[in-house]
Amino acid sequence: MPRLRLSARPHRARGRFTGKVCCGSGKAGSWPAIREPAPSVCRALGSAPRRPVAQLVCDVLRACTEYWDSVFWHDSVHQSAQYRPHRVTDITDLDGWEYTRYPNGDYLIFVSKDLSFGILGNHHEERLCFFGETAAQAATELNRGILGPLLRRDGQTVNQASPTEQ
């Protein structure tokens, strides 16, 4: 099963870490923030309102977890938290959730305990990456025009002219 691997260094001895995190130098070619694993789908946030995006994130996480499971949330500024997706079905029950769990100046990540799936928000690219088989599939099925166009699939840029890639 593919897993996301993050490391501040591109490679470490004995191949232990294979990913590379880019902290946004702004230089061409420094994106994306991670080397996205397969399977993954990355979609533009565009002008999508925060509340529907937050509801989509909540719905995708619920589709990926059992009732008793939890995921972890982290961004570079706020205190990390453990989140149980099945405890909330409507984000309006979580006061301010759509504002604190949105890539609005910080990278953010929701990730499973075993790193097998998750959601990465990139504020520089203004996009969400859903990685892992269950998250990529759920995001594709549940995104009903909420997010913008598909930017990458399995880490590879998609042909925007191809209707099958949308």
Side-chain angles (χ1 to χ4, degrees):
M1 175 177 296
R3 293 190 175 163
L4 177 70
R5 295 172 190 230
L6 301 176
S7 173
R9 298 178 208 161
H11 302 285
R12 199 170 186 184
R14 289 181 233 121
R16 187 169 172 195
F17 296 107
T18 59
K20 179 180 179 182
V21 175
C22 170
C23 295
S25 65
K27 296 179 183 175
S30 64
W31 311 115
I34 62 168
R35 288 188 184 151
E36 297 144 356
S40 64
V41 292
C42 294
R43 290 195 167 270
L45 286 167
S47 60
R50 289 181 181 205
R51 185 162 282 173
V53 171
Q55 186 66 56
L56 174 65
V57 167
C58 186
D59 294 344
V60 168
L61 292 172
R62 206 169 32 259
C64 296
T65 57
E66 297 291 338
Y67 179 79
W68 53 85
D69 283 339
S70 59
V71 296
F72 293 96
W73 169 81
H74 177 74
D75 75 16
S76 59
V77 178
H78 301 96
Q79 184 176 6
S80 300
Q82 194 169 0
Y83 170 67
R84 289 187 55 201
H86 288 274
R87 296 194 70 187
V88 177
T89 56
D90 185 348
I91 59 140
T92 57
D93 296 339
L94 296 170
D95 188 35
W97 197 86
E98 69 270 22
Y99 299 103
T100 58
R101 307 298 194 259
Y102 189 90
N104 58 356
D106 312 323
Y107 288 103
L108 69 86
I109 188 167
F110 287 93
V111 65
S112 65
K113 293 175 188 177
D114 65 358
L115 304 178
S116 64
F117 71 86
I119 303 169
L120 178 80
N122 181 330
H123 63 288
H124 290 290
E125 282 189 306
E126 296 183 351
R127 58 100 174 148
L128 288 176
C129 174
F130 302 85
F131 61 89
E133 186 175 343
T134 55
Q137 183 178 0
T140 301
E141 292 172 2
L142 297 171
N143 179 39
R144 296 179 180 94
I146 297 166
L147 297 175
L150 183 65
L151 301 174
R152 289 183 295 280
R153 180 181 304 280
D154 301 337
Q156 303 299 313
T157 303
V158 297
N159 180 357
Q160 295 298 326
S162 173
T164 60
E165 291 293 339
Q166 299 298 314

